[in-house]
Structures are given as C-alpha cells and as structure tokens.
C-alpha cells in the first residue's frame, strides 16, 4: 500500500513540496491558443521549432461555474493580503474562542515559555537560484502510470480522449510546461507571487499534478483522495477558489497549441469537464479543512543536534497543537528559502509536550536541507504544512512489523517503534537499518537502546560495504535471508531505489502487496532521499 501520488516540489535531492494554487475565469475575447506577448516572471513562452502545425479551429473553453464556498471564518480574520507575508499572521491575533489559538498547547505548559519570534524572510537576493541546478533533478516529469480500469468497466469517452491527448503531448512535454507557465504569469501576473523564485523544479510538479489528476478521471476514489489532499495542502500557499479557472484557462490553451492531431472540439470539452470536477474537489476539501485546521503552523527551533557533519536532528515547538500519526510526514519551509517547501518525516511518535523532531541530511545543492543542517539554530522559526502520509501502524491487528529504513529513512521507522510501544501490545517488530557505510548508521545507538527496552524489538544494522559491527550487503537482499515474513506488515522508508528493490523482494518472497506500506516513490522526500 502506498500513499496517493503527490506533486510537491523538490530541489537538489532534499525534496519537499511546491505544488501551487490552480485556477480565475478566462478573459473574454482571448483566443484559447493565443501567444502571450512575453513573460515578466518566467521568460517568453517556448515555441516548438518552426511554425505550429495547422489544425481545425476549436471553440473557446466554456467553464462550468465553480460553486461558491462559504469561508469557515470571516474575511476580517484572514491574514493580510500581501502575497508573500500574508501567510505569517500571528495566531495570537485570532479572536477569542478560535479553534486554532495556541493558548492551550501542551508545550506552553512545559518549562519557561519562549518569546514568540517573527518569521524572518531572507535579505533581498538571498533566495536566488544557485549557479547550477541540482544534478538529480529530472528534466521533465515521467508519465504517470495508467490507472487501473474500474472493476469490469471500460474507460469512459472522456478518459479515452484525455489519454490520447496525453500521448500526443508526451514528446514535447518540456515545451508544453514552459508555455503553460509563461502564459499563466503573463495573463495573471498576480499569481507569480504564489510560486518560488526559482521555477525550474516547481514547474514540473504542478503540471504533472494536473495531468495525473486528469489521467485518473475514471477512478473516482483515487482521484478524490488525491485531490482532496492537494486541496488541503494548497491552503498554505494562499490558494483561493478564484485561482482555479486561471490555471484551467492556461492549461487548455497550452494543450490546444501542442496536442496536434489529438486535439479536437470533443477533446477540449472532455478536458473542461474533467477540470471542472478537479477544481471542485480541491475547493471543497480546502473549505472543509479550514473549519478544523490552520493552513500552516509556525514552529520555533528549540534543539539542533549534529549527528554527523551532514546530518542534524532538528526539534521544533509549534505555535499551535499539531495532530499527526507516527509514520507520517509534513512539508517544511525555512526563512532563508521563502515559498520552497520540502517534506520531512516525523522522527518520533506524538509527544505529551507537543514537540516535533526531524532528521535532516544536507545534500549537494540542497537548498532547504543545507540551510537546516548548516545554518539553522535554536530560535529560528520555520513553517509547517499539514501532516500527511499513510505509512501508519494498523493497531487493529497483531501482525508483526517488518521495517526497512535506509539512511535518514530510519526517522519514521523509529516513530513507528515508539508508537507500538505506547500502545502496549507485544507484537514482534523487526527493524533492518541500512546505510552505505558504518558511519552512516548515525542513529544506531538510539535504536539499540529501544531494543534493550523492548524484548519484542529486534534491530539489525546493515551496511552496503566496508567494515561494520553488523551485516554487509544490500538491505533488501539481507532481509530475504531472514523471515519468513508472510505474517508481517512491511514498512519501507529510504531512497527511492531502496524502496523499489525492497518492494520487489518482498513480493517475490510472498508478502502480499496490500501489506507493504511506503509513501509515494516518485515524490521527492527530504527524509529518505537526503
């Protein structure tokens, strides 16, 4: 089992979020495939070599009106309108009785209360793109896998038209993406402030999310779960219902220009119908979430421990109660890289004092990870998005847990062990903790202390090469030497290659796929990949 696909942006290997707000109504009289005069934020729209191919004229998209959604709180209580700083309104300014005031936060009752610090944006120019792009950034998003057809049902006519369009644009996906953003920022320059200064990584994420959602048009449960999560997550960017038509308008224009013979009046109508549904699911999910949860949390760093020269354990105190489950992760933004979010798993189960901890590894050209490891200090204020992820323990069963943690992927595995311990049930937990070299097992002492405290826990360190006190070999290959594992639920966290290899190994030795849990492999993650 894995988490639904996600679109958070990544950089330099320490990925985290960057999906942005979507859709404003089309401007009357504007041709769907027209070329913008230029882009003030992303460069001129990129054109294919030579003149665009001739194709039959199509009518302009007719957008189905999006239902008005009543805000969960009065407009006067919303953060200020400044596009960058509006996210940082103080929770203490919220009216008495507001469900997200921090007064009753457990961490406020422990020790001396620290003064609330403002979120410090970086100096002008400090968040500019480095001279070179991170080497591991894909040049364009990989095409999403085909969704499984509903049980016994053939694909709908809309789904067939959309898949045909996706096939048509695949050879020129980079040009479609560049044109889409150039058009969006020219027609709607006010939306540029919602995106990070460096668009190289972000651009693939949002466009991929749009196409992934459209591809799953016939899979209502998957589509609803995926888009609902995106809608909730987009609140931290300041996305509003009025933004959605703007993205839809520019998406249709981009497809019109580049889809070639796969584009037609019927294809356009199918895309309009699907995107009307997409936007409404996201808008409804955001409105529902607003009634019970803030869009973001501010969190002050109260602990920063270097475990190795490039790995730090960062502990923060959020300004409001932060409910989450062991095994989940969050998106995180630093004051030095505004509007660039990265995902990090919680390294501990929920605590009575409300504190949160993350394991961060600095990678080359990792903007956020490098700042968190080498620059962050106690007193700095970060920003957290909502928790997400489905790699959680099923406490309704007595199945054992088989846990594979590679590198900083040990963080959520440690949280799962603590979660089992807190529930007091003696179920076997087998942890295989892997790293390339012995010095990469930076948290082995913590894991061995847990093993000494809990007789149902077994921890086996594994290194790929070099001298070690533990086992030597590739983590998935070592795991198959033990077992059998057919009575265990499996949890995997680490680099994407390790997860893919681990899933394949577990399937070959008889572990059912529905008992293998990990988060989306194609989603850049601060914890496993850093």
């Amino acid at each position: 089992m894995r988490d639904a696909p996600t679109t958070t942006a990544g950089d330099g290997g320490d990925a985290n979020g960057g999906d942005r707000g979507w859709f404003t109504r089309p401007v009357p009289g504007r041709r769907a495939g027209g070329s913008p005069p230029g882009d003030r934020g992303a460069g001129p729209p990129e054109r294919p070599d030579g003149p665009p191919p001739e194709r039959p004229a199509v009518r302009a998209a007719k957008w189905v009106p999006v239902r008005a959604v009543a805000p969960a709180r009065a407009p006067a209580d919303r953060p200020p309108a400044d596009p960058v700083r509006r996210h940082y309104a103080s929770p203490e300014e919220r009216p008495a009785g507001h469900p997200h005031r921090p007064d009753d936060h457990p961490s406020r009752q422990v020790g001396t209360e620290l003064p609330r610090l403002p979120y410090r944006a970086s100096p002008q120019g400090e968040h500019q793109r480095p001279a070179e792009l991170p080497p591991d950034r894909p040049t364009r998003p990989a095409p999403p896998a085909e969704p499984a057809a509903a049980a016994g049902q053939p694909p709908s006519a809309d789904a067939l038209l959309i898949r045909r369009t996706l096939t048509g644009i695949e050879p020129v996906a980079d040009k479609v993406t560049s044109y889409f953003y150039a058009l969006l920022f020219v027609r709607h320059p006010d939306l540029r402030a919602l995106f990070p200064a460096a668009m190289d990584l972000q651009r693939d994420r949002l466009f991929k999310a749009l196409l992934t959602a459209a591809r799953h048009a016939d899979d209502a449960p998957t589509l609803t779960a995926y888009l609902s999560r995106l809608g909730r997550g987009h609140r931290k960017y300041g996305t509003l219902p009025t933004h959605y038509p703007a993205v839809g308008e520019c998406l249709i224009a981009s497809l019109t220009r580049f889809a070639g013979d796969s584009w037609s009046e019927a294809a356009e109508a199918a895309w309009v119908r699907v995107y009307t549904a997409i936007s409404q699911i996201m808008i409804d999910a955001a409105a529902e979430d607003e009634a019970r949860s803030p869009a973001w949390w501010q969190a002050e760093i109260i602990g920063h421990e270097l475990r190795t020269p490039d790995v730090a354990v960062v502990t923060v105190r959020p300004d409001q109660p932060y409910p989450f489950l062991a095994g989940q992760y969050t998106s995180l933004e630093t004051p030095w890289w505004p509007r660039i979010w990265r995902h990090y798993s919680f390294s501990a189960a929920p605590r009575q004092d409300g504190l949160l901890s993350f394991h961060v590894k600095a990678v080359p050209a990792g903007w956020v990870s490098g700042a968190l490891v080498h620059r962050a200090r106690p007193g700095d204020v970060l920003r957290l998005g909502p928790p997400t992820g489905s790699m959680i323990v099923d406490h309704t069963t007595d199945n054992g847990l088989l846990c594979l943690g590679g590198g900083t992927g040990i963080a959520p595995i440690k949280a799962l062990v603590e979660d089992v311990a807190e529930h007091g049930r003696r179920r076997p937990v087998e942890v295989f903790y892997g790293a390339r070299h012995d010095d990469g097992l930076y948290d082995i002492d913590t894991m061995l202390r847990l093993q000494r405290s809990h007789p149902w826990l077994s921890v086996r360190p594994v290194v790929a090469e070099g001298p070690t006190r533990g086992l030597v070999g590739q983590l998935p290959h070592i795991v198959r030497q033990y077992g059998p594992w057919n009575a265990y639920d499996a949890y995997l966290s680490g680099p994407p290659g390790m997860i893919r290899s681990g899933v394949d190994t577990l399937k070959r030795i008889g572990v059912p796929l529905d008992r293998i849990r990990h988060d989306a492999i194609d989603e850049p993650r601060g914890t496993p990949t850093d």
Side-chain angles (χ1 to χ4, degrees):
M1 184 177 75
R2 60 173 293 234
D3 213 9
T6 187
T7 61
T8 50
D11 80 51
D14 71 312
N16 248 13
D19 35 88
R20 295 301 170 197
W22 295 7
F23 287 178
T24 356
R25 305 210 185 287
V27 178
R30 216 172 237 157
R31 186 165 58 93
S35 302
D39 180 14
R40 302 166 209 173
E46 188 172 349
R47 299 174 182 271
D49 296 334
E54 294 293 332
R55 60 177 63 88
V58 295
R59 58 193 173 90
K62 295 182 179 179
W63 294 97
V64 178
V66 175
R67 294 196 304 273
V69 179
R73 56 183 178 182
D77 296 331
R78 293 187 181 275
D82 179 84
V84 177
R85 300 295 299 198
R86 63 183 174 188
H87 299 309
Y88 301 98
S90 169
E92 283 82 354
E93 296 172 3
R94 294 183 173 124
H98 191 282
H100 306 308
R101 286 183 62 88
D103 305 10
D104 299 326
H105 193 286
S107 66
R108 299 301 189 193
Q109 304 168 14
V110 178
T112 303
E113 179 167 337
L114 298 175
R116 183 174 178 81
L117 300 181
Y119 187 92
R120 297 188 295 277
S122 58
Q124 180 66 27
E126 186 172 324
H127 55 65
Q128 297 304 307
R129 175 176 177 266
E132 294 184 5
L133 286 174
D136 56 346
R137 181 181 68 85
T139 56
R140 82 179 187 204
E146 288 289 345
Q153 297 296 324
S156 67
D158 280 359
L160 291 173
L161 288 167
I162 285 170
R163 292 177 193 175
R164 183 167 180 256
T165 304
L166 294 175
T167 301
I169 66 170
E170 185 176 342
V172 291
D174 281 342
K175 293 182 178 181
V176 180
T177 305
S178 296
Y179 187 89
F180 165 77
Y181 279 109
L183 195 63
L184 181 67
F185 296 153
V186 167
R187 292 185 176 180
H188 306 281
D190 56 306
L191 296 185
R192 185 63 181 88
L194 298 180
F195 293 80
M199 284 294 299
D200 302 84
L201 296 152
Q202 163 57 31
R203 63 177 198 146
D204 288 349
R205 304 296 173 195
L206 173 57
F207 200 72
K208 182 180 178 181
L210 298 173
L211 301 187
T212 299
R215 188 179 289 268
H216 287 80
D218 275 358
D219 188 352
T222 297
L223 185 66
T224 300
Y226 172 39
L227 293 174
S228 295
R229 190 183 61 171
L230 286 182
R232 292 189 294 268
H234 278 44
R235 291 181 56 218
K236 65 180 177 285
Y237 307 123
T239 305
L240 302 175
T242 53
H243 294 154
Y244 285 77
V247 173
E249 168 202 342
C250 296
L251 176 67
I252 294 295
S254 302
L255 295 174
T256 300
R257 182 174 182 82
F258 289 97
D261 294 339
S262 65
W263 195 250
S264 64
E265 184 173 318
E268 180 180 327
W271 278 92
V272 169
R273 283 190 292 270
V274 167
Y275 269 94
T276 299
I278 285 173
S279 60
Q280 195 61 60
I281 292 172
M282 294 184 67
I283 290 170
D284 290 347
E288 180 182 354
D289 189 61
E290 188 176 12
R292 61 173 184 261
S293 175
W296 65 87
W297 287 254
Q298 292 192 98
E300 182 175 11
I301 297 177
I302 65 167
H304 187 280
E305 177 189 358
L306 277 177
R307 294 289 183 85
T308 74
D310 60 356
V311 173
V313 176
V314 180
T315 302
V316 303
R317 183 174 69 182
D319 62 350
Q320 305 171 61
Y322 191 100
F324 72 98
L325 299 174
Q328 289 189 308
Y329 60 93
T330 186
S331 52
L332 185 154
E333 182 199 47
T334 72
W336 306 286
W337 294 100
R339 305 189 301 280
I340 297 180
W341 296 76
R342 298 291 178 265
H343 286 160
Y344 292 94
S345 294
F346 302 104
S347 64
R351 298 167 43 160
Q352 288 295 323
D353 59 11
L355 301 181
L356 310 172
S357 293
F358 307 95
H359 294 186
V360 184
K361 179 177 181 179
V363 298
W367 305 344
V368 174
S369 67
L372 287 172
V373 172
H374 301 304
R375 186 169 185 174
R377 294 293 181 268
D380 291 329
V381 180
L382 310 177
R383 206 158 57 132
L384 307 178
T388 189
S390 60
M391 200 181 76
I392 59 178
V393 176
D394 180 1
H395 291 290
T396 65
T397 154
D398 289 323
N399 292 345
L401 274 66
L402 170 62
C403 302
L404 282 66
T408 50
I410 196 63
I413 301 300
K414 173 176 168 286
L416 295 176
V417 170
E418 293 178 352
D419 189 37
V420 172
E422 289 175 7
H423 278 75
R425 300 177 69 172
R426 297 174 62 89
R427 49 196 299 189
V429 179
E430 303 282 341
V431 174
F432 290 82
Y433 178 14
R436 184 176 300 277
H437 303 287
D438 204 50
D439 57 3
L441 300 172
Y442 66 90
D443 211 30
I444 188 61
D445 291 340
T446 302
M447 298 305 298
L448 292 178
R449 280 197 299 271
L450 287 171
Q451 179 180 248
R452 290 192 292 269
S453 301
H454 306 295
W456 42 261
L457 172 63
S458 174
V459 177
R460 296 182 177 91
V462 181
V463 300
E465 54 191 52
T468 178
R469 297 173 293 170
L471 304 169
V472 179
Q474 297 298 319
L475 189 58
H477 299 160
I478 295 293
V479 169
R480 69 182 304 170
Q481 298 175 15
Y482 292 80
W485 305 116
N486 55 327
Y488 283 72
D489 294 335
Y491 296 81
L492 298 88
S493 178
M498 187 219 81
I499 294 178
R500 292 189 184 96
S501 177
V503 170
D504 290 342
T505 297
L506 294 174
K507 288 193 298 183
R508 284 197 299 268
I509 61 179
V511 180
L513 189 59
D514 62 355
R515 288 169 63 177
I516 301 175
R517 294 169 169 82
H518 61 86
D519 288 315
I521 295 175
D522 58 350
E523 171 185 324
R525 297 285 306 281
T527 293
T529 58
D530 282 6

